[in-house]
Amino acid sequence: MSGDRDYIGFATLPEQVHRKSVKRGFEFTLMVLGESGLGKSTLINSLFLGDLYKDRRILDAAERIEKTTTIEKKTMDIEERGVRLRLTIVDTPGFGDAVNCEDTWKACSAYIDEQFRQYFTDESGLNRKNIQDNRVHCCLYFIPPYGHGLRQIDLEVLKRLHRKVNVVPVIAKADTLTTYEVKKLKERILTDIEEHEIQIYQFPDCDSDEDEEFKQQDKELKACIPFAVVGSSTVLEVAGKKVRGRQYPWGVVEVENPKHSDFVKLRTMLISTHMQDLKDVTQDVHYENFRAQCISQISQQAIRERRYLRIKLKRDSGPHFENSISDTDRLLLQKDEEIRRMQDMLAQMQEKLKATGQVGPGIGLRGRVGSLGNDLDATDVEKKRNSIIDV
């Protein structure tokens, strides 16, 4: 009886949160990045037991010469034991396929920034009840099994993306390597990552109250990075047991056999144990950095506008204006006056040319004066004004 009197009831809060979260459902966005032929589509189909790419057409060599990186989104709703997950796969066909891959990372970086920007806009709006989270929570970066570590294109792309998204490196087609070769390649990749200060996804430390089995599993997952994986959707029969794998003349590579690849460990990390942490890191680290930059830019723009308005008010205040402004403000006003005089001069020249018939009714003076007209564009005027303010 005394125990019942001391019971308040807030111990059921986790159950309340669980019921509400299950009712609302979950969202997860995964980007797969790597050149064609590394088995990205096969691995995704193997991870989520679906067929997202059945309508894809494989480009021939001639079509890949001028191929640029594009973004393809595919969404599927998965339900397991009453829990609903809205999974979005962001694929990047054309990545690394062109002869000149100098700017192949731009489409990926722009897409990640655009999702952050859209979320920031929605979050800053009036109606914030049904905000859709399309931010990229994880990027599986596929590294080819041939080579001696990270290539130059790999380093360039990872340097551009590692501060914007959780990067998980993956060695593709690990069945083309021996166990020793896989071990050496992992060591080289980790060495390259450390030397070039690339920040890949870091597993959170286990709490002291976690059981030993979970701690051991977490230790094994950390030791597997980068994950050497094999993907396949083909079901084969081996020793009277049906498995997913690849048939070779010398035997069968089982996808879910830990001795053959790290596929099971990657699936465990990505789906079973660290999916929520990937979302939390995206929210608390990557998105917060983007949000801070946006707020800083907005604040700087507001300061510039206030300063310009203050100068304008001082100029119109009276005869003592010249003694009350700084050198920067005086330089800004001189520049404004110079731009205004040039615009008036251009307008007069255009009127004279029209009067003499040298300029047709559909042709402006900009086409004749070239760069002078471009320098007087409204955007350029604002840039000059801002550059003087920053002095």
Side-chain angles (χ1 to χ4, degrees), residues 313-360:
L313 289 173
K314 286 181 180 180
R315 183 177 58 187
D316 300 337
S317 60
H320 302 290
F321 167 70
E322 289 294 333
N323 299 327
S324 62
I325 62 173
S326 62
D327 294 338
T328 302
D329 295 340
R330 186 177 292 105
L331 184 61
L332 177 63
L333 290 174
Q334 292 175 358
K335 201 66 175 179
D336 285 342
E337 292 295 335
E338 181 183 351
I339 292 173
R340 198 174 296 109
R341 286 196 305 270
M342 294 177 68
Q343 288 176 336
D344 293 340
M345 182 179 65
L346 278 175
Q348 294 174 6
M349 291 173 61
Q350 189 173 18
E351 290 296 330
K352 291 181 180 179
L353 289 174
K354 284 183 179 180
T356 58
Q358 296 183 18
V359 178

Side-chain angles (χ1 to χ4, degrees), residues 45-63:
N45 290 336
S46 303
L47 283 172
F48 299 101
L49 302 178
D51 190 6
L52 291 174
Y53 304 95
K54 55 185 177 182
D55 299 329
R56 170 171 292 181
R57 184 179 69 88
I58 304 299
L59 301 178
D60 56 27
E63 293 175 304

Side-chain angles (χ1 to χ4, degrees), residues 29-45 52-58 67-75 87-97 104 107-109 111-112 136 138-142:
T29 301
L30 175 66
M31 174 179 282
V32 288
L33 195 57
E35 63 186 41
S36 300
L38 292 181
K40 304 188 299 295
S41 306
T42 304
L43 182 67
I44 293 301
N45 290 336
L52 291 174
Y53 304 95
K54 55 185 177 182
D55 299 329
R56 170 171 292 181
R57 184 179 69 88
I58 304 299
K67 180 67 176 176
T68 57
T69 306
T70 56
I71 300 295
E72 285 187 3
K73 286 177 56 178
K74 293 184 181 293
T75 303
L87 174 68
T88 302
I89 303 297
V90 181
D91 201 356
T92 54
F95 175 85
D97 290 348
T104 192
C108 310
S109 178
Y111 179 82
I112 296 172
V136 180
C138 179
C139 174
L140 291 182
Y141 188 82
F142 285 71

Side-chain angles (χ1 to χ4, degrees), residues 211-223:
D211 55 54
E212 292 301 323
E213 183 179 355
F214 183 82
K215 290 181 179 179
Q216 181 62 28
Q217 182 189 49
D218 187 73
K219 183 179 179 181
E220 292 176 359
L221 291 177
K222 291 179 180 178

Side-chain angles (χ1 to χ4, degrees), residues 271-289:
I271 301 174
S272 302
T273 59
H274 291 78
M275 179 178 282
Q276 186 58 47
D277 186 69
L278 287 166
K279 297 179 66 174
D280 291 342
V281 173
T282 301
Q283 169 68 32
D284 299 336
V285 179
H286 301 300
Y287 173 68
E288 284 302 316
N289 291 338

